Amino acid sequence: MQSANGAVVATEALTRSFGARRAVDGVTLSVGTGETLALFGPNGAGKTTLLRMLGGLLRPSSGKAQIGDAILPGGPEVRGRIGVISHQTLLYDALTARENVEFAARLYRVRDPRDKATEALDRMRVLDRADTPVRALSRGLRQRVSVARAIVHSPSVVLADEPFTGLDVAGAKALASLLGELRAAGAALILVTHNIDEGLGLATHAAIMDRGRLVRHEIRSAVNPSSFAREYQELVSANG
Amino acid sequence: MGELLRDAWLIARKDMSIEFRTRSAFLSAIVFALLAIVIFYFAWDATAVSAIDLAPGVLWIIFTFSGLLGMHRSFGVEQPDHAIDGLLASPVSRESIFLGKALASLVFVSAVQVIAIPAVALFYNLPIGSVAIPLAMIALLAAVGLVAVGTLFSAMAVNTRLAELLLPMLALPFFVPIVIPAAQATAKLMSGRPVGDAVGWLKLLVAFDIVFIVACTLAYPFTLEE
Amino acid sequence: MKPTPLSVAAFAAVVVTCIRAIFFTPLEAVQGPAQKILYIHAPAAWVAFMAFALVALASALYLWLREDRLDRIAEASAEVGVMFTTVVLVTGPLWGKPVWGAYWTWDARLTLTLFLWFVYAGYLVLRGAVEDRALRARYSAVLGILGALLIPFIHLSVYLFRTLHPRPILMKPSAPSLPGEMLTTLLMAFAAFTLLYIALLRARYRYAVARDNAHPPEEYSA
């Protein structure tokens, strides 16, 4: 599942254009087993586009993206290893939380989908509302269900786009602990967030994207949180 | 192949569960069908046109428009919260997404027909008992063609402005080679002709179904952003 | 529209053909002057269907090669094609009324042309309803191909309908057995209309290029 150099997720000069505009411009990065890359960047920097390419939803215009040895966008096999937490919940309002997560489990060919769904909902502390239609849940609870849905198949790669959105303290704690568990099990995480503290708190590596390019990419231990935060602030204000 | 069908069935079941929970599209389609029957009845001069002459037309017009009502929901359910991404990111193939949705729509349209066709027979005093089986077969073949085309256009229309206007506008010309054979075959059956007379029309219907199921399934991945 | 050699030639060809048709081609014995609509009606129908064939071909090639030029060709051909289709649908009844006594008789070919018009209309409305250029091109291409698949089925449906529902024998202009001078005029008309189609296609294509260059593609919110 790891590629030759040990990376689980790897990109090389990855580029995606929409017409004349380069949303992602020559991004090269890699994330290994058990590593967490916190990816920061102003709105419009291309983070979501990058994640969509890594999730197999978008084809690169040029360059390469790989999960293990498989080149993206790959086939069903590759997609089965990836868990996607989007900033939309990807849930069906009319179905219950349990039904949503169980459906995802079946989509991902999980054995014992029912049990795994229950387990996932429990890990996100939302099992007591499992049989409520999603429509009746608050935004925070929906987000918890959405996370449960994303990881029910125990993915080895988790692409999380602002997963803490809408979560209250309890929810955020559950998510952080869940991500820690996944990481301990060897999953590679890419976490897009605006929250410097949250991001740096979970990360082994940190990066900043601006206008499609990776402008900073280093190991967490080399990062000074306050100067990092300042640099990021400047970048965000410069972007207007 | 087995996986394709299994995944399609999984997705179809999900769509049907959602529709069953809300039932709004189904109920609208039924109400529409019943209203249309009533309106056609009152617009009909029974002394000039016999029920048997009128009924096939009424039946298939109702089929067309109530079928349309069901089509929008096909990809409409994936819109809120971008649930379609959940399907696209998963290991299921794009073709199975399309087939699963088409299958769910087929169940929907057939369920509407199961109510609408007997209703037409009832209100117009039509003796369809003897031709029930051939009629059911025609209805099924027509439904298959309708959902093949309707599901694809639903996938496209849902991403446009004027989605609710666009879907009928695109789909209706494609429904014509379904409705003409179906109505003609129905007319033959109802006026007591042997089934053999309607075979030409049935062949056309089957050919349409095969061509468009294949074409629309193959076309679906092209409607996705890549 | 800037006059190019092609457009001038096309315009001239159409005018010359019209003059020849009106003044220098004999009257048809039975139908009289109304028959001369043939010289517009038939070539316009030829162009209408040919234009759609190009839409379908460009659509298929676009899905394969993803070249923007192909999408613009499809767009241009559709807009020009729908114009010619409208001409067919207008001249048909105008011809039908004096000759057959009715504006519309569900004649097989005219009915097929009517459906062609619906497909064109759907195609153009679809294009108008999608703002993102890449999405619009993909959707249009799919519709272009499906529309091409539809036409034979419509034809078969109408044909089967006709053979099972014989109509009273109507007078029909029979192109192949036209006497010499009429045939010549007709062939000239076909050539002139084809030239006109190409000229209009090019002009419309150029417009599409200019429009696309003036408005860079919309931003995609990443």
Side-chain angles (χ1 to χ4, degrees):
Chain A
M1 192 227 1
Q2 280 183 315
S3 70
N5 65 359
V8 178
V9 182
T11 75
E12 199 181 299
L14 190 62
T15 301
R16 171 71 196 204
S17 310
F18 295 99
R21 195 180 82 95
R22 291 215 182 150
V24 173
D25 194 356
V27 168
T28 300
L29 55 79
S30 68
V31 185
T33 325
E35 291 178 357
T36 300
L37 174 67
L39 183 60
F40 304 93
N43 292 334
K47 313 184 295 291
T48 301
T49 308
L50 176 64
L51 247 48
R52 284 181 79 84
M53 281 193 279
L54 293 174
L57 292 170
L58 216 54
R59 190 180 294 273
S61 303
S62 68
K64 215 161 65 157
Q66 288 179 241
I67 305 274
D69 282 324
I71 309 255
L72 290 169
E77 213 271 316
V78 177
R79 296 204 291 265
R81 298 193 233 142
I82 305 171
V84 173
I85 307 176
S86 167
H87 50 225
Q88 278 128 336
T89 60
L90 312 186
L91 298 174
Y92 297 103
D93 272 2
L95 300 179
T96 66
R98 191 194 299 276
E99 283 168 341
N100 268 282
V101 180
E102 224 178 285
F103 175 65
R106 289 181 209 277
L107 280 179
Y108 282 87
R109 326 229 196 277
V110 168
R111 261 205 298 256
D112 309 316
R114 200 133 235 271
D115 295 332
K116 286 281 187 259
T118 306
E119 197 184 303
L121 288 166
D122 192 31
R123 277 164 105 183
M124 281 311 292
R125 305 273 171 272
V126 74
L127 187 58
D128 54 331
R129 306 298 298 276
D131 297 303
T132 318
V134 164
R135 179 182 46 223
L137 296 176
S138 67
R139 176 70 178 90
L141 290 179
R142 286 189 210 195
Q143 184 66 11
R144 296 196 203 184
V145 177
S146 178
V147 172
R149 187 205 166 281
I151 54 87
V152 68
H153 58 290
S154 310
S156 53
V157 174
V158 177
L159 306 172
D161 200 345
E162 306 191 40
F164 288 95
T165 314
L167 289 179
D168 60 7
V169 171
K173 223 172 102 185
L175 177 57
S177 119
L178 175 68
L179 292 178
E181 280 165 29
L182 286 167
R183 195 174 49 211
L189 250 65
I190 298 186
L191 176 62
V192 167
T193 179
H194 279 300
N195 188 322
I196 304 261
D197 294 324
E198 241 162 26
L200 291 181
L202 291 165
T204 58
H205 295 70
I208 303 185
M209 250 182 106
D210 181 30
R211 275 173 284 219
R213 302 198 169 183
L214 211 56
V215 297
R216 267 262 236 159
H217 183 195
E218 50 211 344
I219 203 165
R220 167 68 182 88
S221 44
V223 170
N224 175 326
S226 40
S227 56
F228 188 88
R230 215 181 322 127
E231 184 184 330
Y232 182 58
Q233 268 305 104
E234 281 167 18
L235 195 60
V236 170
S237 354
N239 267 279
Chain B
M1 183 61 171
E3 254 180 19
L4 178 73
L5 295 176
R6 198 187 58 202
D7 292 337
W9 176 240
L10 174 63
I11 291 169
R13 253 174 42 214
K14 183 265 298 175
D15 272 12
M16 290 191 282
S17 304
I18 294 177
E19 182 53 39
F20 188 72
R21 287 296 157 76
T22 56
R23 279 187 289 269
S24 53
F26 181 71
L27 289 176
S28 323
I30 298 287
V31 168
F32 167 83
L34 295 175
L35 277 173
I37 292 174
V38 172
I39 292 172
F40 275 114
Y41 183 84
F42 284 107
W44 169 40
D45 179 359
T47 59
V49 180
S50 76
I52 294 204
D53 286 336
L54 184 70
V58 172
L59 191 60
W60 293 102
I61 289 179
I62 291 176
F63 163 83
T64 304
F65 289 97
S66 59
L68 265 177
L69 280 174
M71 286 301 115
H72 189 76
R73 50 152 269 299
S74 184
F75 276 88
V77 296
E78 310 286 341
Q79 280 294 86
D81 304 322
H82 239 255
I84 186 80
D85 275 355
L87 292 176
L88 294 172
S90 76
V92 304
S93 66
R94 276 78 175 106
E95 288 78 10
S96 57
I97 297 176
F98 178 82
L99 287 174
K101 289 195 163 290
L103 190 56
S105 291
L106 182 61
V107 171
F108 177 96
V109 170
S110 302
V112 172
Q113 282 177 315
V114 157
I115 297 183
I117 295 181
V120 170
L122 185 75
F123 283 100
Y124 288 88
N125 282 315
L126 293 171
I128 62 165
S130 49
V131 295
I133 308 248
L135 192 55
M137 204 172 74
I138 297 174
L140 184 64
L141 288 174
V144 166
L146 182 107
V147 306
V149 172
T151 304
L152 181 68
F153 288 140
S154 170
M156 297 204 287
V158 108
N159 288 323
T160 66
R161 310 187 289 226
L162 325 163
E164 268 133 21
L165 269 168
L166 196 62
L167 181 53
M169 187 164 178
L170 294 180
L172 282 172
F174 288 84
F175 290 175
V176 168
I178 299 173
V179 172
I180 293 180
Q184 288 298 313
T186 306
K188 291 253 184 294
L189 286 179
M190 283 193 181
S191 41
R193 299 280 195 72
V195 176
D197 272 13
V199 160
W201 291 115
L202 290 178
K203 281 195 205 162
L204 188 57
L205 203 46
V206 170
F208 182 94
D209 284 354
I210 294 175
V211 168
F212 278 89
I213 290 176
V214 170
C216 292
T217 308
L218 293 177
Y220 174 65
F222 287 100
T223 66
L224 299 168
E225 174 164 51
E226 271 275 278
Chain C
M1 188 169 111
K2 232 178 6 191
T4 64
L6 176 61
S7 58
V8 169
F11 185 68
V14 172
V15 167
V16 163
T17 309
C18 284
I19 294 175
R20 185 193 152 97
I22 298 175
F23 299 111
F24 298 102
T25 308
L27 276 178
E28 209 258 2
V30 182
Q31 298 176 48
Q35 182 265 352
K36 297 208 173 184
I37 294 187
L38 167 73
Y39 302 115
I40 296 184
H41 183 80
W46 148 251
V47 170
F49 281 90
M50 180 178 64
F52 195 77
L54 185 60
V55 171
L57 182 64
S59 295
L61 288 174
Y62 176 81
L63 287 182
W64 178 27
L65 301 167
R66 303 290 169 134
E67 263 273 4
D68 280 347
R69 275 182 299 187
L70 290 165
D71 178 53
R72 280 185 220 124
I73 290 176
E75 175 189 343
S77 195
E79 283 205 12
V80 175
V82 77
M83 275 169 25
F84 280 90
T85 313
T86 310
V87 167
V88 178
L89 293 175
V90 167
T91 53
L94 283 180
W95 189 4
K97 182 70 172 151
V99 171
W100 303 332
Y103 283 112
W104 189 267
T105 58
W106 293 104
D107 163 68
R109 284 179 293 206
L110 216 50
T111 304
L112 185 61
T113 311
L114 180 63
F115 276 93
L116 183 65
W117 192 91
F118 283 130
V119 175
Y120 270 127
Y123 181 90
L124 292 169
V125 170
L126 177 65
R127 289 196 76 99
V130 182
E131 278 168 5
D132 178 68
R133 218 170 271 174
L135 191 67
R136 184 178 64 200
R138 276 203 314 275
Y139 279 8
S140 310
V142 166
L143 186 61
I145 296 173
L146 289 177
L149 283 176
L150 178 69
I151 297 294
F153 277 99
I154 301 278
H155 172 70
L156 280 172
S157 301
V158 175
Y159 174 76
L160 204 56
F161 186 84
R162 288 250 157 271
T163 49
L164 298 179
H165 293 253
R167 309 286 308 248
I169 311 289
L170 294 169
M171 248 172 347
K172 277 222 164 105
S174 43
S177 48
L178 281 182
E181 283 188 325
M182 293 192 193
L183 188 58
T184 312
T185 308
L186 188 61
L187 291 175
M188 274 178 69
F190 272 99
F193 269 61
T194 305
L195 214 54
L196 180 63
Y197 165 70
I198 296 174
L200 289 171
L201 183 68
R202 254 178 87 190
R204 181 59 184 74
Y205 177 80
R206 291 229 180 90
Y207 166 76
V209 172
R211 176 203 61 201
D212 285 350
N213 289 336
H215 298 288
E218 298 78 23
E219 298 270 313
Y220 179 87
S221 53

